[in-house]
Each structure stands twice: as structure tokens, then as C-alpha cells.
Amino acid sequence: MVMETVCPAGTPAALRAAVEAGAHSIYCGFADETNARNFPGLNFSREEMAAGVAFAHARGAKVLVAINTYPRAGAAPLWHRAVADAEASGADAVILADPGLLAHAAEHHPGLRRHLSVQAAAANADVINFYADSFGVKRVVLPRVLSVPEIAAINAETDVETEVFVFGGLCVMAEGRCSLSSYATGLSPNMHGVCSPASHVDYAEEGGELAARLGGYTIHRVGKGEPAPYPTLCKGCFTSQGATGHVFEDPVSLNAEQLIPQLAKAGVTALKIEGRQRSRAYVAQVVRNFRAAVDALAAGRPMPEGMLARLSEGQAGTTGAYRKTWR
Amino acid sequence: MELTVGPNQFFWEAPRWAKFYAGLARAPVDRVVLGELVCSKRLPFYQDRLPEAIEVLADAGKEVVLTSLALVTLKRERRMTADLLAMGLEVEVNDLTALAHLPEGVEFSVGPLVNVYNEGTLAWLAARGARRICLPPELPLDSVRVLARAAADLGVSIEVWGHGRLPLAISGRCYHARLHGRTKDNCQFACGDDPDGRAVDTLDGQPFLAVNGVQTLSASTASMAHHVEALAEAGVSALRLSPQSGDFVRLCRLYRDRVAGGMDGEALSAALLPEVAGGALSDGFLNGPCGADWSGGRA
């Protein structure tokens, strides 16, 4: 059985590029606050979604629609419409996080497959089985807080398929349970589908250094000419009791390509690549490499080595929580 | 307006922990939620003190509730969560794993770390037996109003985060251990050194966050000092006060005075300011623009 590659598309062009590069499944969202990558210029209109689904289906690929923010009180119809429109577009599944929205989808769209978003941070077999019993969830995207043996233990205790992140941006907090961004900027992943938004970023030259601020908080300072990292809160530089450093996480990104055989052994169904905000060229290259890796694994050939290091945000890669010492 | 004391977020030594809860018996509060919220490694240090604390508080007429962990991953944590109901107290669900272990029909309450953002989720929880929900601190007043109205129709009481450093994030990684160059498994309980969390400042030296083991808190202490009337009008029936070091019983009395109308928001915040770690208050999640903001004199 070949592991499924689940690949990001922020635009119709990226969707087509991912399909042509060999993606088994594409995930994407509508251009509004119903999805957790609600960035300017990204995502799909209703027409683009239907066309994207038709394009993917014609080439044997699936489309999963992320509707994974938490509906705003009093505004549920916007999210309900997104679920209905995803079904109408012919999508193969919706990726949801909010229990109220899951209940709605299970009741009104029983034929539409439901995946549990990473934003629900379901981190053990008990709660995963509970989501399956309550809402008929068929697959869970695991939060990035688990080690490979823990993932294996989960798979041993559930029939729900598991999907794990293997490449791209890395949340260090349990997803869907972090309001650092709205504390500093008023905009959050859960409510607005954004984290550390560009609208609140400010760079300033000060005394030969470049300071990067988010919401007025200085969380990077580099010498002139050095590349200035984007001020994502949990990758920022801070001072605590006289020591300065990356308190939460270094500016690294996830690269678990070498763990693919172990993840397969752990019973993982699908490998997810982060990056709906990425260019189609980037998406195509990452997809091609991961498709080659899962095909090699299925055929019993050795894994291609170090294929993606240079795509990792120009930074060091990490295997994150998959190795227990990360904690 | 009722007052609830939320679970202590910090790691205090057992004697300090026990003294805190013995003292709370004298505090003018209606409910006390206790137990371990943040890290399962802490519980063994004070677990044997729980029964006495529960008894003293119950004898003093407080409603006593037991919290679940905020993030359940390990086998030991799943067992801990499954065993909560056996204590014979109401359970406050702070991770839906706890709900998975509650038989249908058992009433429970929901803590601020469960994502209740809308009426659909509220109705689903109410149907499962929720009788009280403390909303996520991130919610603006408009959402609080909508949810309180929906809750009233379902017979559910709504509580909001009234006082305390804000629980902004929870992780698999222990930041206290990381700051000491250790891993979570070898943490040596570094979080015990900081009874209100460890300050994390910006590169400009501006207070910003505080780490508390696997949890990240705000540096500022959130306070609803200026919003008691607005919240009551919105249909909120309780404020949650989160434990901190210092004279917490006095702090409870100040809030009691405030909700009883004996004190205004200005007077309360002036009295609180010298008492809170980091020396700053915030209430921006309620009225914006961002969580760290403080409405000061504006009410």
C-alpha cells in the first residue's frame, strides 16, 4: 500500500502543479475566514474549487477542503455554506476542527467524508475514537506534539486513519489551542485563520541593526546585511532572566522525510505537506520528492536521501516532536 | 455575579499548595476548581493533599470541581483523565479527552481551554450534559453576548476569565526545561522555581509572556475590573479568578466588593496593580484591539 501524499494548494495553479507532480490528494480552502490559511491573494472561489476538483479527479487525485477555523458566534451560516459548497464542488472530504461544525456536517451532509483537522489537537486514541463515535470522523490529522512510538500506539487503538505532517512550517504549540497571535495582534488562527499576520509586521533599522517587530514587540534583531527572519511569535528571540535566545523554537522547519519508513511502520495512512502560502514551483518540487519517497518505500527501494534540505526555508530542518528529545 | 477560583496553573510545593487551599475556605468565592491542569508530572507531589483540601472547601460551603489536564497524550495521562470521575466530584473538561470518559447523562462543566467559540459547539456540549462553560479568554464581548444568550436557553451558565495571567498556549515541549538546557523527561521540575511563571521579555526589554512548563502565559494579568457591568448585562453569571502568589484571599475580597457594587473598576485595578506579577493588567481580548491592551480608565 503506497502512503498517501496530501499536498497544499493556495491557488488553482498550485493545485494543478501538485496534481501534475504526482500528489495523491490536495488540500485547499475557500477565500475567507473559514480556513486557517486566510492570507491575502490565497485560496479558492466557489468556481475555482469546482474546477480544481474536476481537474484533480480527471487525473485520479482527491481534493480535501479545509474548513478548519472556529466559526464566530452569530456567524455560523458562513461556515455551514462552506461545507455545503465543498460538497457541491465534488470534494472528497472536508477537514473540520469545531465540534459544532462537525455535528452540523454529520447531520446535514452525512455522505461527505469528514476529517478531523490538526486544529482540533486530538492527541490520543480516546479522544480520536470519541470524535469518530460522535461525528463519524474517518481520518485525523495528528497534532505536532507526538513522537513516532506514540503515533504507533494511537494507530493500534483506533480504526480512524491518521495523517501526519512531514514537511514545512512547524507549530510548536498544540494547534488550535494557541492565542499568542491574537494577544499581540488581535488576529488569531482559531478565529481569523491567520497567525503572526504580515499586516502587523514592522522592520526598522536601529543602530546598524535590523529589528523585526510583530504588533510592536521586537522579537528579532540581526546585523545589517543578514537575512531578517519573519517575526513568527513562537520562533522569535526573547530574553528571560538575562538570557537571550529562542525560548520556544529555533527558526527551523519540519523535515521528517527520513522518518517516512518509521511512520509507515507506525500505521500512518497519509503524509501531509504544509505550505498553502507557497509558490506552485515549491509545491511541485516538494510533492515530486515525497511521491518518489513513498513510491520507493512501497517498492522496497531505499529512500532517496536529503532531497529537500535546501527547500527548508533556508534554515535547519528538524524532525520536531517525532523524536522524543525535542520536548 | 458569582466568583470561581480556577485551577492553580503553577507548580507549588505541597505545603504551599495545601496552605493556599486551606486559606481559600475563608475567601468569599462560590466555586473552586482544583487539580492539575498543566503537567501530569506535577500531580504526584500534592495528590495526597487533595482529599483534605476538598473536604475543607466543601465544609466551607464552596462547590468543589476537579479539572482535567489541558493536553492529554501519554498513557498515564489517559488513565488520570479516565479516573477523574471516581473522585466523586463534578469534572471540569479542559481537553475533550475527559468528555470521552464521562458516561452520557453525567453533568460536567467546561473550562476555558476547550474551544467554545459558537452556539453550535455550545449546544452540542449542553446536549452532552454541560451545565457551566467558562469561555476561552480570547473571545470578544460580542461573542460572549451571543453565547450567553444561547446558553441561557439551554440552561447552561456562562463564566469568563476574570483575573489572572492568560493561558495563551499549551505544547508538547517544556519551555522551562528548555530554558535550563534540559528536556521534558529530565526537567528536574524547573517550573517550581517560578511561582507565577517565568518572565519572557522582548528584545527591547518589554514584558510580553511568561512560561510555565509546557504552558505559555501572558506577562500581563488579565482583569475584568472595568467590565463587570457589561458582562452582567451580556448574561455572564460568573468570573473566574486564577490563583497567583501573594494574598489571594484579599484579592478575592476585592473582586467580591467589585461585583457587589462596593467598588468601581478604577479602584479595583489600582488595588490589583501592585499585587500582580509583572505589574501590568490587560483586558484587550474583550474589547480589542489585541489581547495585551488595557482599557485603563475607559470602561
Side-chain angles (χ1 to χ4, degrees):
Chain A
M1 195 63 176
V2 181
M3 292 178 96
E4 180 181 329
T5 49
V6 181
C7 308
T11 61
L15 180 145
R16 291 192 295 271
V19 169
E20 282 164 351
H24 296 106
S25 297
I26 312 294
Y27 69 101
C28 47
F30 292 118
D32 57 32
E33 64 202 287
T34 61
N35 89 88
R37 285 287 184 280
N38 179 26
F39 300 162
L42 276 198
N43 300 313
F44 289 61
S45 69
R46 268 47 181 181
E47 295 72 30
E48 288 168 340
M49 188 65 80
V53 171
F55 182 89
H57 284 180
R59 287 153 186 82
K62 292 180 175 165
V63 174
L64 320 174
V65 180
I67 307 171
N68 57 348
T69 48
Y70 288 84
R72 190 170 63 252
L78 180 65
W79 279 261
H80 293 172
R81 211 157 45 234
V83 175
D85 291 347
E87 184 170 49
S89 75
D92 298 276
V94 284
I95 309 171
L96 312 176
D98 180 61
L101 191 59
L102 280 157
H104 172 88
E107 187 183 342
H108 298 279
H109 307 276
L112 180 61
R113 187 176 155 100
R114 292 173 290 287
H115 292 185
L116 188 64
S117 169
V118 71
Q119 296 298 118
N124 65 74
D126 301 326
V127 77
I128 291 166
N129 288 330
F130 178 66
Y131 277 105
D133 293 344
S134 303
F135 309 118
V137 164
K138 298 291 186 221
R139 179 182 295 183
V140 55
V141 186
L142 294 176
R144 283 163 274 197
V145 299
L146 298 164
S147 67
V148 175
E150 285 160 10
I151 292 169
I154 286 173
N155 279 318
E157 289 185 66
T158 184
D159 294 329
V160 177
E161 297 171 358
T162 55
E163 177 175 311
V164 303
F165 279 93
V166 285
F167 196 77
L170 172 80
C171 271
V172 298
M173 308 301 182
E175 294 89 342
R177 310 190 65 183
C178 178
S179 40
L180 286 177
S181 180
S182 51
Y183 182 68
T185 73
L187 298 173
S188 77
N190 283 1
M191 296 172 68
H192 310 94
V194 297
C195 175
S196 306
S199 54
H200 288 68
V201 171
D202 176 48
Y203 293 96
E205 274 191 34
E206 291 168 359
E209 287 184 324
L210 186 67
R213 298 198 171 87
L214 184 79
Y217 298 100
T218 308
I219 60 174
H220 284 299
R221 220 180 255 290
V222 294
K224 243 199 202 135
E226 285 177 57
Y230 186 88
T232 303
L233 273 177
C234 58
K235 316 288 189 328
C237 209
F238 301 94
T239 298
S240 182
Q241 294 179 5
T244 296
H246 296 98
V247 168
F248 304 103
E249 179 60 294
D250 304 321
V252 292
S253 67
L254 177 68
N255 184 358
E257 53 174 316
Q258 293 309 314
L259 295 179
I260 292 173
Q262 287 164 259
L263 292 167
K265 238 177 254 150
V268 169
T269 298
L271 303 177
K272 185 163 209 160
I273 296 161
E274 185 275 346
R276 282 191 275 153
Q277 69 284 14
R278 297 294 192 160
S279 72
R280 64 184 166 173
Y282 168 97
V283 168
Q285 188 170 356
V286 176
V287 170
R288 215 172 286 123
N289 284 303
F290 271 95
R291 180 62 195 265
V294 297
D295 285 347
L297 181 70
R301 296 194 304 268
M303 288 278 104
E305 261 184 54
M307 55 189 180
L308 291 163
R310 66 198 173 82
L311 280 173
S312 302
E313 299 192 349
Q315 299 145 350
T318 175
T319 51
Y322 295 135
R323 293 197 209 280
K324 212 172 162 201
T325 47
W326 177 85
R327 290 174 184 157
Chain B
M1 185 87 72
E2 293 184 336
L3 296 178
T4 297
V5 175
N8 176 31
Q9 304 188 99
F10 307 105
F11 184 37
W12 295 348
E13 280 172 26
R16 178 181 193 153
W17 185 97
K19 195 169 163 228
F20 176 84
Y21 283 104
L24 263 192
R26 303 190 314 275
V29 298
D30 305 283
R31 306 171 83 241
V32 178
V33 186
L34 43 59
E36 185 54 45
L37 176 73
V38 174
C39 179
S40 60
K41 289 180 72 176
R42 296 170 175 178
L43 184 62
F45 287 87
Y46 63 86
Q47 193 164 22
D48 60 344
R49 309 270 187 142
L50 270 169
E52 192 185 337
I54 291 166
E55 194 184 327
V56 169
L57 290 166
D59 286 349
K62 319 293 184 204
E63 196 180 336
V64 185
V65 179
L66 207 55
T67 183
S68 82
L69 277 173
L71 179 64
V72 179
T73 56
L74 308 176
K75 198 151 220 161
R76 161 182 96 235
E77 295 166 351
R78 290 164 64 193
R79 216 161 27 232
M80 243 173 90
T81 309
D83 289 346
L84 281 176
L85 196 59
M87 295 282 289
L89 297 174
E90 183 176 305
V91 172
E92 176 170 291
V93 174
N94 272 301
D95 178 311
L96 286 185
T97 306
L99 189 50
H101 289 294
L102 291 179
E104 292 235 25
V106 172
E107 291 191 336
F108 61 92
S109 47
V110 177
L113 299 181
V114 172
N115 286 333
V116 185
Y117 281 85
N118 54 68
E119 310 92 301
T121 295
L122 195 151
W124 174 72
L125 288 166
R128 282 280 313 191
R131 53 169 216 117
R132 174 183 291 261
I133 296 175
C134 181
L135 296 176
E138 190 186 32
L139 286 177
L141 184 58
D142 286 345
S143 292
V144 171
R145 198 178 289 121
V146 171
L147 290 169
R149 203 176 307 133
D153 294 340
L154 297 164
V156 174
S157 308
I158 292 293
E159 181 173 307
V160 302
W161 189 268
H163 177 98
R165 283 188 150 171
L166 292 158
L168 296 178
I170 189 97
S171 175
R173 172 179 264 183
C174 177
Y175 303 115
H176 249 104
R178 181 170 156 88
L179 279 164
H180 286 262
R182 301 172 194 150
T183 64
K184 185 179 173 192
D185 285 348
N186 181 34
C187 68
Q188 298 170 40
F189 301 96
C191 58
D193 295 343
D194 301 294
D196 292 291
R198 177 168 165 171
V200 170
D201 303 336
T202 68
L203 296 180
D204 292 332
Q206 191 180 4
F208 183 32
L209 303 170
V211 297
N212 172 39
V214 294
Q215 187 183 44
T216 304
L217 301 166
S218 60
S220 66
T221 294
S223 173
M224 290 298 110
H226 289 298
H227 307 287
V228 169
E229 290 76 15
L231 290 169
E233 201 182 297
V236 170
S237 60
L239 288 184
R240 169 162 301 215
L241 312 179
S242 188
Q244 60 164 70
S245 64
D247 190 346
F248 193 73
V249 172
R250 175 171 170 263
L251 192 143
C252 294
R253 288 195 187 113
L254 290 168
Y255 272 95
R256 175 55 70 194
D257 263 12
R258 175 70 182 92
V259 299
M263 193 181 217
D264 67 11
E266 274 304 304
L268 175 58
S269 23
L272 292 173
L273 211 48
E275 304 296 324
V276 299
L281 298 171
S282 64
D283 56 7
F285 275 140
L286 200 70
N287 280 332
C290 51
D293 290 329
W294 172 239
S295 58
R298 295 178 292 117

